Amino acid sequence: MLFLTRLLPSFLVAWLLSFTIASLFHSQYVVNQLVNVGVAVPLADRLNVMAQDWLGMITTYGVIIAVALAIAFTVANWLSKKYAISRDVWFTFAGIAALATVLIAFELIMKINVIAGARSWGFYTQLLAGAAGGFVFSKVSAALTHK
């Protein structure tokens, strides 16, 4: 019952937040590259790109992020019980590690960074998305425990 009442809702919120932030950063990175070469991109087009990317990436990048976060959060939970460091720290770093692992694995396996928004400084924005998800998972799961 703990899984259904505390872990699953916490995980879904954290995953959705991480994926959404990662997708939005990806979209804006790509649009910014167009702007850098002189293409005018109106706000309506930016919003459309963001929505299309979110929908288009959820079944691939979204699922991969979910698997990576599930593994990382499992490890973070074990570490938080073994070492007396804040849960927030463990889960935040777990989110960062999950996204870093995914992006580095893409590069190593495919010999190209398939997430265009993770090139150059975009890599760090993707890690920020993982950090946000990990932090939120720590907070939401703790709040649901104390209910």
Side-chain angles (χ1 to χ4, degrees):
M1 196 55 126
L2 174 68
F3 176 77
L4 290 177
T5 60
R6 178 179 150 216
L7 295 178
L8 185 59
S10 302
F11 180 78
L12 291 175
V13 167
W15 164 74
L16 188 58
L17 178 68
S18 285
F19 170 68
T20 299
I21 291 171
S23 175
L24 296 178
F25 278 142
H26 160 77
S27 299
Q28 290 311 302
Y29 180 89
V30 171
V31 168
N32 190 49
Q33 296 305 307
L34 291 171
V35 170
N36 286 344
V37 295
V39 177
V41 183
L43 179 60
D45 290 343
R46 283 181 180 264
L47 295 174
N48 187 45
V49 166
M50 288 169 32
Q52 292 300 317
D53 281 348
W54 192 92
L55 290 170
M57 295 173 78
I58 196 162
T59 59
T60 52
Y61 194 38
V63 171
I64 292 167
I65 289 173
V67 171
L69 288 177
I71 294 167
F73 290 172
T74 300
V75 172
N77 186 55
W78 177 77
L79 289 171
S80 73
K81 292 176 181 174
K82 189 168 174 71
Y83 300 102
I85 298 174
S86 165
R87 274 176 47 89
D88 293 348
V89 171
W90 284 119
F91 284 99
T92 300
F93 279 114
I96 293 169
L99 272 284
T101 301
V102 164
L103 295 171
I104 291 168
F106 280 163
E107 184 101 20
L108 290 173
I109 294 166
M110 298 181 186
K111 307 293 187 226
I112 186 171
N113 194 334
V114 295
I115 305 299
R119 296 178 185 145
S120 182
W121 57 267
F123 178 81
Y124 301 104
T125 65
Q126 298 297 299
L127 300 186
L128 181 61
F135 183 77
V136 165
F137 179 82
S138 179
K139 292 298 188 188
V140 173
S141 62
L144 292 177
T145 299
H146 297 316
K147 277 191 169 184

